[in-house]
């Protein structure tokens, strides 16, 4: 390229950047930390001060110190802030944090995210007419008066509630709240009554091992995502839930409380038997397998879409089988293969079943279970030739034999090696041997490339 042509190209590029509409420019800034947005001022003369009026500010990352945040905000001129994110691993004082949040609130911030270790939310923090979405992490939440009249979504992560009734105060001060997320929070009330929050439709809660007994009363919500621990959790009223997702976290020495946990989980499922869309995590499926092998009765479900996040291992199969058999209206099954699962099959074989007085051969007598590896054996199995296709074929056959109303089955998984077309051909030749005549659409969706297979089974 000639020197003149190179200069012309740079000028053209500069003209392009300078002519970019403000809306597009600010949209670009909304995806990057504000510190990077400031650095774009060298790209074009017009961009020199463009970041100063962008409505989205985000301070996080290794370059985000208290001094940097303060100096940057001194040059900020926008009258309206739509989104403001604050998070730094460096030491900052409560006074500095409060000054930054006050600035955001003075500019009628709509979306605020705050993450500071041991930050104690001040009284003014709970008074805002502009907030629509709020996320708070690692803070002490102490409040008596709350006025978030425009707030629709609230997420509280690893927060500590103390003194009085902060949850009740928050809900009473959020008249149009639609989504509430509580992640590993401490100090929750034993009776978590959300019934007075009439606009609430989505509720997500993750309970830590430090959590105490919790009762959940939320008759108006439509979506529930619940991750429990071994401590007791009771669903008192979730009668309007349409979609639910359940998982459990357990300790390594879980077996002594295994029987209690099974009963607790099945009581929850009794409250969710009319849900249309159900998701089960891998460890919870293993809990259900223990209950099934012990002969504990399961409720009958009205679920139409069932999602199972599972390892294709022996300890998950009885639970999945029983769910399929007890779901007479099931139309769609989505199986998401995962490498997670907290219960070791060998631990069950060596200790649990003997304590239950059950015969090991009886527990795993099903021919379909025998074709599925243990949580230890699956590691060596997937390294064998055609092992993935054989394992998947066994699982598909098990599912189709235990569900008579299924219309579609989707299998999503991570493959350890590139799969050839022969892999799909092998699987797709399997269905004619099945005993029922339902038409089922089968979709195999490996994640490491785009090949997908779909066909009717008859």
């Amino acid at each position: 390229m000639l020197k003149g042509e190179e200069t012309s190209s740079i000028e053209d590029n500069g003209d392009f950047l300078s002519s970019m509409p403000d809306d597009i420019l600010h949209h670009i800034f909304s995806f990057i930390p504000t510190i990077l947005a400031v650095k774009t001022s060298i790209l074009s003369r017009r961009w020199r001060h463009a970041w100063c009026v962008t409505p989205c500010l985000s301070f996080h990352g290794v370059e985000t110190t208290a001094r940097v945040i303060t100096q940057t905000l001194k040059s900020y001129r926008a009258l309206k802030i739509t989104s403001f994110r604050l998070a730094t691993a460096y030491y900052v004082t409560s006074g500095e944090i409060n000054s930054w949040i006050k600035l955001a609130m003075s500019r009628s911030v709509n979306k605020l995210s705050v993450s500071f270790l041991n930050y104690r939310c001040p009284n003014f923090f709970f008074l805002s007419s502009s907030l629509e979405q709020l996320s708070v992490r690692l803070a002490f939440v102490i409040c008596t008066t709350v006025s978030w009249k425009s707030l629709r979504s609230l997420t509280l992560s690893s927060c500590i509630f103390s003194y009085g009734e902060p949850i009740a105060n928050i809900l009473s001060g959020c008249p149009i709240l639609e989504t509430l997320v509580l992640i590993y929070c401490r100090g929750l009330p034993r009776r978590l009554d959300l019934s007075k929050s009439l606009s609430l439709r989505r509720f997500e809660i993750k309970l830590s091992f430090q959590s105490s007994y919790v009762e959940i009363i939320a008759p108006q919500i439509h979506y529930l995502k619940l991750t429990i621990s071994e401590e007791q959790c009771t669903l008192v009223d979730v009668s309007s839930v349409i979609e639910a997702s359940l998982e459990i976290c357990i300790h390594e020495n879980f077996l002594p409380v295994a029987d209690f946990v099974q009963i607790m989980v099945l009581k929850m499922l009794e409250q969710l038997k009319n849900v249309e869309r159900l998701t089960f995590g891998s460890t919870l499926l293993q809990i259900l397998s223990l209950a099934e092998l012990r002969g504990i009765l399961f409720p009958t479900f009205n679920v139409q879409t069932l999602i199972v996040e599972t390892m294709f291992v022996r300890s998950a199969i009885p639970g999945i089988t029983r769910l399929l058999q007890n779901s007479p209206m099931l139309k769609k099954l989505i199986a998401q293969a995962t490498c997670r699962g907290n219960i070791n099959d060998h631990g069950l074989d060596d200790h649990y079943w003997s304590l239950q007085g059950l015969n090991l051969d009886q527990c795993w007598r099903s021919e379909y279970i025998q074709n599925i590896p243990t949580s230890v054996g699956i590691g060596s199995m997937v390294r064998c030739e055609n092992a993935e296709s054989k394992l998947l074929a066994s699982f598909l056959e098990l599912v189709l034999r235990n569900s008579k109303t299924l219309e579609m089955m989707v299998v999503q998984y991570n493959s350890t090696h590139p799969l050839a077309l022969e892999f799909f051909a092998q699987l797709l030749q399997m269905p004619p041997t099945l005993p029922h005549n339902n038409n089922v659409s089968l979709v195999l969706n490996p994640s490491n490339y785009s090949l997908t297979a779909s066909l009717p089974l008859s």
Side-chain angles (χ1 to χ4, degrees), residues 353 357-364:
W353 299 126
L358 296 174
N359 183 283
L360 190 61
D361 293 332
Q362 277 189 318
C363 291
W364 308 123

Side-chain angles (χ1 to χ4, degrees), residues 12-32:
D12 291 343
N13 186 52
D15 289 341
F16 170 74
L17 294 176
S18 298
S19 62
M20 188 176 293
D22 288 345
D23 289 346
I24 295 179
L25 189 57
H26 294 155
H27 184 68
I28 294 173
F29 287 162
S30 70
F31 289 98
I32 62 176

Side-chain angles (χ1 to χ4, degrees), residues 78-229:
L79 299 178
K80 167 67 179 176
I81 297 179
T82 57
S83 177
F84 193 43
R85 178 184 176 186
L86 280 170
T88 177
Y90 299 100
Y91 173 76
V92 293
T93 66
S94 295
E96 289 170 324
I97 300 172
N98 291 343
S99 67
W100 303 331
I101 295 176
K102 282 183 178 179
L103 182 143
M105 289 187 169
S106 70
R107 310 290 174 90
S108 302
V109 63
N110 300 128
K111 181 179 179 181
L112 177 63
S113 177
V114 179
S115 178
F116 293 105
L117 182 62
N118 295 332
Y119 174 61
R120 178 168 175 166
C121 301
N123 290 335
F124 78 83
F125 185 84
F126 300 96
L127 305 174
S128 172
S129 60
S130 62
L131 274 178
E132 298 176 3
Q133 184 173 336
L134 174 62
S135 176
V136 181
R137 183 172 177 266
L138 300 171
F140 288 96
V141 179
I142 304 172
C143 57
T144 54
T145 302
V146 178
S147 180
W148 288 329
K149 296 182 179 180
S150 301
L151 194 67
R152 296 184 179 275
S153 177
L154 174 62
T155 299
L156 301 172
S157 304
S158 301
C159 291
I160 299 176
F161 301 106
S162 56
Y163 306 112
E165 299 180 345
I167 293 294
N169 293 336
I170 288 173
L171 293 178
S172 65
C174 304
I176 62 171
L177 188 68
E178 298 172 354
T179 299
L180 176 62
V181 181
L182 302 175
I183 301 176
Y184 301 137
C185 292
R186 297 169 61 185
L188 292 172
R190 288 174 58 87
R191 188 174 178 84
L192 196 54
D193 190 348
L194 311 179
S195 60
K196 294 181 180 179
S197 186
L198 300 180
S199 60
L200 191 66
R201 293 297 177 264
R202 297 177 64 89
F203 178 50
E204 302 181 24
I205 181 169
K206 289 186 178 182
L207 297 173
S208 68
F209 290 115
Q210 289 80 25
S211 300
S212 57
Y213 171 75
V214 175
E215 292 181 348
I216 297 175
I217 305 168
Q220 77 283 30
I221 64 172
H222 293 168
Y223 174 83
L224 173 66
K225 185 174 183 179
L226 177 62
T227 301
I228 60 175
S229 66

